Amino acid sequence: MEGSGKFSDYLFAKMGPPTATELPPKTTECSDAPVELTGYRRWLSDNLMLLVTLSGVLLGVVLGLSLRPLHLHGDSIMLISYPGELFMRVLKLMILPLVISSLIAGSASLNAKMNGKIALRTLVYFASTSFFNAALGIALVLLIHPGNPDLHNAEDRSTDKRAVNLLDSLLDLGRNVFPDNLFQASIQQAHTVYLPKPGIAHAFNETFNDTLVSGVEAQRQAEDLAEEVVLVRDVQYRSGTNTLGIVFFCLVFGTFLGTIGQKGQVVVDFFAAIFEVIMKMVTCVMWLTPVGISSVIAGKILSVDDLGLVMSQLMWFIVTVALGVFIYQFVVMQAIYFVVVRRNPFKFYAGLIQAMLTAFATASTAAALPITFRCMNEKLRVDPRITRFVLPIGCNINMDGTALYISVASIFIAQMSGMVLGFGELLTVLLTATAASMSSASVPSAALVLLLVVLTAIDAPVQDVTLLFAVDWFVDRIRTTNNMLGDCYTAAIVEELSRKELMALDAASVNYPDMPAGTPNGHSHDGGLLEGQTELTMTDSVVVDMSAVMNNVNLQQEHSNRRV
């Protein structure tokens, strides 16, 4: 210590006192010092992206309503919608790499037991909120009774007897969760269709070709055979990313990746880097929001034939759905957040307005997923390990707004047809709407297909779904905000419920900075303790090796004494 002090005194004596020219400049004289914004300038800087998104929504509404009196040609409407189409394509382009990288990096950063707990809490919360929204929709539609039999139009009826049932939807859900080809899951989804039995169709062709009959007789035979046609199930593939299958594979892959130690760390870093790159790309794309969102909304408004007539006829239906969305967003969701998290829920809600406006404009939770990640991680500071785990799953399973919409729409159609639903039918709607919503695809107007399942379950007229096509472009945007906000609030609530496990993982990473990821809690790969370890069990079965911690402290003290 004395030698070190003498050397420092000698060094400073040789350097001499600083001259006037060597004095550091004052802080006020430094031109490179950042100027801290205050007042309204700071507010504008913090909320610039939100204002840009809001301006795009308002501009699209004003532009669409202003151009409607001109009765533009279809080509003109297509050109107006074209920038919005490109904007949607760019957002959808980022969905697949974002989901893959976020799930693998997020699940690999947690141990297998932690992944199981988070997944269980997430799925239970998703199912509970979907069930509640379906019950809320049933209560509102029975109370308001928007279905008017005068709206029933016989011309809208068709002879399409499409066979749809809940069993097929649930089986298709399982087929998509467990894909047989990962590359095919990137571009196609499995679904069940009903086709005529090949033998009957072949017999009809032979009868028609071999029999010389008049045109009237041929038509009569065709009608008779058509009534006897037997439809059989056939599993086919349709265009569209099977996100459920990719989510399942990435969860399993990431979970096992976190168990192989340092050998898998390079793969974890690779996917974490991909996630960071995608988020930077999202930041650049967001500056195109005013043009893209205004183009999407203006094109939808201009494409409706008679906007005033449709809105006036189905106004009570729109009001019922909007009221349910309002009650859930501003009452139920905020109450759950306050009770669990014990923080101001409306401050959390305000941080999600930009993502909500994007979901409203694109009518797709998946398309708004990049913006949702940006709001949750950068503005609201939710743990990235939770957001990377919950948000990709939520955009495919958690469809709170869809459950509410399906229950309202199915009873609305039954009311138009003069049907009186009993307790059994209402219970069927409740359970079927909940199950169907969790198998919904995160694409615009996907709920209309699921609505056929519920209508078939209660024996309501399936053909009357065509009446809702005219307003689904607007109602779809309202319910999509429920879906997106439900995912975000789920992530915040799951983070709070998993606080102890996350803190234990953080403590383990601090105590073992060099410990391989595949040996959590210092255990060897064969399940036993390493030599010389003494384990101390903490909350949620997280084991911390106190002897190793004390050895590290002693080594650091000895090393410092040697340097002195």
Side-chain angles (χ1 to χ4, degrees):
M1 288 295 292
E2 294 180 359
S4 176
K6 292 180 179 179
F7 177 77
S8 61
D9 293 340
Y10 172 79
L11 181 63
F12 283 111
K14 295 297 289 182
M15 293 174 59
T19 61
T21 57
E22 295 175 347
L23 292 175
K26 295 181 180 180
T27 306
T28 56
E29 297 176 357
C30 184
S31 58
D32 296 335
V35 180
E36 184 177 357
L37 300 177
T38 58
Y40 73 94
R41 291 185 179 180
R42 182 177 180 180
W43 186 87
L44 287 177
S45 177
D46 294 339
N47 298 276
L48 180 60
M49 194 64 69
L50 172 61
L51 295 177
V52 167
T53 307
L54 182 60
S55 64
V57 175
L58 296 178
L59 179 61
V61 174
V62 173
L63 184 64
L65 296 178
S66 301
L67 295 179
R68 280 194 63 86
L70 300 179
H71 301 288
L72 298 178
H73 190 265
D75 293 341
S76 300
I77 298 177
M78 181 183 65
L79 292 176
I80 293 175
S81 305
Y82 187 67
E85 179 185 352
L86 296 182
F87 178 73
M88 289 283 293
R89 293 172 72 92
V90 172
L91 286 180
K92 292 179 179 179
L93 175 66
M94 302 180 190
I95 294 174
L96 193 58
L98 184 64
V99 169
I100 293 175
S101 61
S102 64
L103 280 175
I104 291 180
S107 57
S109 63
L110 306 170
N111 55 40
K113 185 177 181 180
M114 183 67 178
N115 284 340
K117 288 187 176 182
I118 293 179
L120 180 61
R121 290 165 180 160
T122 302
L123 293 177
V124 169
Y125 186 85
F126 284 164
S128 302
T129 54
S130 297
F131 183 85
F132 176 83
N133 275 271
L136 178 63
I138 293 175
L140 290 176
V141 74
L142 293 178
L143 180 64
I144 300 176
H145 201 285
N148 185 3
D150 295 336
L151 294 176
H152 186 73
N153 188 2
E155 295 179 357
D156 290 336
R157 285 184 169 273
S158 63
T159 57
D160 184 15
K161 298 294 184 181
R162 179 179 178 180
V164 181
N165 57 52
L166 182 60
L167 178 61
D168 293 331
S169 299
L170 295 178
L171 295 179
D172 290 340
L173 177 63
R175 295 185 183 102
N176 288 317
V177 170
F178 303 99
D180 56 353
N181 190 321
L182 187 62
F183 296 98
Q184 186 182 26
S186 302
I187 57 176
Q188 289 183 335
Q189 299 176 352
H191 74 126
T192 302
V193 296
Y194 284 81
L195 300 176
K197 197 172 183 179
I200 296 179
H202 181 68
F204 169 72
N205 292 332
E206 289 184 350
T207 303
F208 184 78
N209 293 330
D210 296 342
T211 305
L212 298 178
V213 293
S214 62
V216 177
E217 183 66 19
Q219 182 178 2
R220 187 185 63 80
Q221 290 185 4
E223 293 177 353
D224 294 340
L225 286 176
E227 293 179 356
E228 300 176 358
V229 170
V230 178
L231 299 178
V232 295
R233 289 186 178 92
D234 185 30
V235 179
Q236 297 183 356
Y237 289 90
R238 59 187 174 189
S239 300
T241 303
N242 178 16
T243 318
L244 283 174
I246 294 176
V247 164
F248 173 78
F249 175 82
C250 291
L251 282 177
V252 176
F253 182 84
T255 301
F256 284 98
L257 180 64
T259 63
I260 64 175
Q262 290 293 343
K263 293 185 293 184
Q265 189 60 40
V266 62
V267 182
V268 177
D269 295 338
F270 170 75
F271 284 107
I274 292 179
F275 181 82
E276 296 298 331
V277 171
I278 295 296
M279 295 310 299
K280 289 184 177 295
M281 294 173 62
V282 170
T283 303
C284 297
V285 171
M286 282 312 299
W287 294 108
L288 303 176
T289 297
V291 178
I293 287 183
S294 60
S295 174
V296 170
I297 294 181
K300 286 296 182 181
I301 293 177
L302 292 173
S303 61
V304 179
D305 295 333
D306 196 340
L307 185 63
L309 178 61
V310 168
M311 290 295 182
S312 61
Q313 286 184 340
L314 300 176
M315 179 56 67
W316 284 111
F317 172 74
I318 299 174
V319 167
T320 304
V321 177
L323 181 60
V325 170
F326 179 85
I327 292 175
Y328 182 69
Q329 283 189 18
F330 291 97
V331 179
V332 179
M333 197 179 291
Q334 312 304 328
I336 296 175
Y337 182 88
F338 177 76
V339 170
V340 177
V341 185
R342 294 292 181 180
R343 295 177 185 173
N344 186 358
F346 294 101
K347 185 177 181 180
F348 186 82
Y349 184 87
L352 296 171
I353 292 180
Q354 180 187 349
M356 184 175 62
L357 291 175
T358 306
F360 178 84
T362 58
S364 173
T365 312
L369 183 61
I371 317 301
T372 308
F373 265 114
R374 187 174 182 273
C375 293
M376 292 288 286
N377 293 340
E378 297 180 10
K379 296 190 67 174
L380 299 175
R381 304 294 181 182
V382 180
D383 196 313
R385 292 172 293 185
I386 299 297
T387 57
R388 293 179 183 181
F389 194 97
V390 175
L391 293 182
I393 301 176
C395 74
N396 294 279
I397 297 178
N398 185 34
M399 297 292 172
D400 297 334
T402 302
L404 185 142
Y405 171 80
I406 291 176
S407 60
V408 171
S410 57
I411 299 180
F412 170 77
I413 292 176
Q415 290 174 349
M416 283 196 309
S417 303
M419 295 179 58
V420 178
L421 300 179
F423 177 78
E425 288 82 1
L426 295 178
L427 183 61
T428 302
V429 171
L430 177 62
L431 298 178
T432 311
T434 303
S437 65
M438 298 189 71
S439 63
S440 173
S442 183
V443 296
S445 300
L448 288 176
V449 179
L450 300 175
L451 183 58
L452 300 175
V453 176
V454 183
L455 293 177
T456 305
I458 61 175
D459 198 20
V462 177
Q463 298 81 9
D464 290 341
V465 175
T466 56
L467 184 64
L468 302 179
F469 288 167
V471 296
D472 188 69
W473 64 273
F474 178 71
V475 180
D476 189 12
R477 282 160 168 75
I478 297 177
R479 66 174 182 263
T480 301
T481 60
N482 246 19
N483 299 338
M484 188 278 303
L485 289 173
D487 300 341
C488 298
Y489 276 77
T490 302
I493 291 172
V494 170
E495 181 196 25
E496 182 65 25
L497 296 177
S498 307
R499 183 75 63 184
K500 292 182 179 179
E501 292 91 345
L502 293 173
M503 292 175 63
L505 289 176
D506 293 337
S509 64
V510 171
N511 292 331
Y512 303 98
D514 300 327
M515 185 180 67
T519 56
N521 309 326
H523 286 69
S524 61
H525 287 286
D526 58 359
L529 290 174
L530 299 179
E531 183 178 359
Q533 284 188 349
T534 303
E535 65 177 21
L536 174 63
T537 304
M538 297 181 68
T539 57
D540 298 305
S541 301
V542 176
V543 180
V544 178
D545 185 8
M546 297 304 296
S547 63
V549 174
M550 296 304 299
N551 290 333
N552 290 334
V553 174
N554 294 331
L555 289 175
Q556 291 177 1
Q557 290 179 351
E558 292 177 3
H559 185 64
S560 62
N561 293 333
R562 290 175 182 175
R563 288 191 299 177
V564 173

